[in-house]
Amino acid sequence: MELLVKILVCFAAGAGAGLGTGFAGMSAAAVVGPMLITFLDMPAYLAVGVGLASDVLASAVSAWTYRKNGNLDLKNGLVMMAFVLLFTTVGSFAASRLPNSTMGSFSVFMTLLLGIRFLVRPVMTRREAMEAVPAGKRLRRAVLGGAGIGFICGFVGAGGGMMMLLVLTSLLGYELKCAVGTSVFIMAFTALTGAVSHFSIGGLPDLTVLALCMLFTLIWARIAAVIANRADAITLNRATGAVLVTLGAVILGVGFLRG
């Protein structure tokens, strides 16, 4: 019975996390962590570690799918990733000087806000308009965006995938598919760094739960990425918005159960 409960919880967590990753570049930890804490009584630190570990393969396979379809800006993605990692450390140091009480609420707020944004005001930037922006200007914006995202992630502890999607679509003017593809590429590396750090400090979690969450998240991320790359712009905006709003509501509900 205990194993069945683990399978069901991990399946639900993996499905939500995988859909969020494949469609919107959302961090799997934002879904997996609260689910494991609430329904399996896993310590919060280890639960976030499982979420980050699940995010590694899910983001990697999503990035590969988007890259195969020409929807990944590798050059600017690498630059942004470097500054995200650097300023995450800076933000983390700054947060250590202050009490941190906004970790979960910020991530949920960003999820709901972006979901509503994609439903009400779809991102309809075309590939031609995106590529018309001078390379130097895009590079500078990637540096500024990466620094801002990294600092916020390190300071608040959440919201990386959502912040990246917002910056890529709004600040850098990416079309939605390329924004998601670039976001999941960066998230694969940031999640790997976070997972290694969590497990090095807190030890290994329940290996059955870890394996199940990684498997289910990977499967659903792959499914979502394939669908997303075949969809037209308006359909993808609606699907992304619906997934984000639904996940935001679910995370709020899980948080309510925890309280």
Side-chain angles (χ1 to χ4, degrees), residues 98-142:
L98 298 169
N100 183 15
S101 59
T102 58
M103 176 178 173
S105 59
F106 179 83
S107 180
V108 176
F109 175 75
M110 284 297 300
T111 301
L112 286 170
L113 187 64
L114 274 179
I116 294 171
R117 183 269 176 107
F118 287 124
L119 288 173
V120 175
R121 189 180 178 185
V123 177
M124 299 302 294
T125 306
R126 298 180 65 85
R127 177 60 63 96
E128 295 79 8
M130 184 187 82
E131 293 178 347
V133 178
K137 188 175 184 179
R138 287 169 64 188
L139 184 63
R140 289 192 295 273
R141 289 180 176 181

Side-chain angles (χ1 to χ4, degrees), residues 9 34 44 56 64 68 77 87 128 131 136 145 150 154 157-158 164 171 174 185 189 191 194 202 213-214 220 225 249:
V9 171
V56 176
W64 176 78
K68 188 172 67 171
F87 276 84
E128 295 79 8
E131 293 178 347
M164 266 186 274
L171 180 63
Y174 280 33
F185 169 74
F189 292 93
C213 284
M214 291 180 69
W220 283 101

Side-chain angles (χ1 to χ4, degrees), residues 73-113:
D73 185 353
L74 188 60
K75 178 182 176 181
N76 288 303
L78 286 170
V79 172
M80 181 176 282
M81 179 179 69
F83 279 86
V84 167
L85 293 175
L86 174 62
F87 276 84
T88 296
T89 304
V90 176
S92 180
F93 175 77
S96 69
R97 303 287 176 170
L98 298 169
N100 183 15
S101 59
T102 58
M103 176 178 173
S105 59
F106 179 83
S107 180
V108 176
F109 175 75
M110 284 297 300
T111 301
L112 286 170
L113 187 64

Side-chain angles (χ1 to χ4, degrees), residues 176-217:
L176 185 54
K177 289 181 183 179
C178 191
V180 175
T182 305
S183 176
V184 290
F185 169 74
I186 297 171
M187 286 302 297
F189 292 93
T190 56
L192 177 61
T193 303
V196 171
S197 175
H198 272 69
F199 295 151
S200 297
I201 295 171
L204 291 175
D206 184 317
L207 295 180
T208 300
V209 172
L210 175 62
L212 288 171
C213 284
M214 291 180 69
L215 175 63
F216 290 134
T217 305

Side-chain angles (χ1 to χ4, degrees), residues 38 248-258:
T38 302
V250 169
I251 296 169
L252 279 175
V254 170
F256 177 77
L257 290 176
R258 287 177 59 189

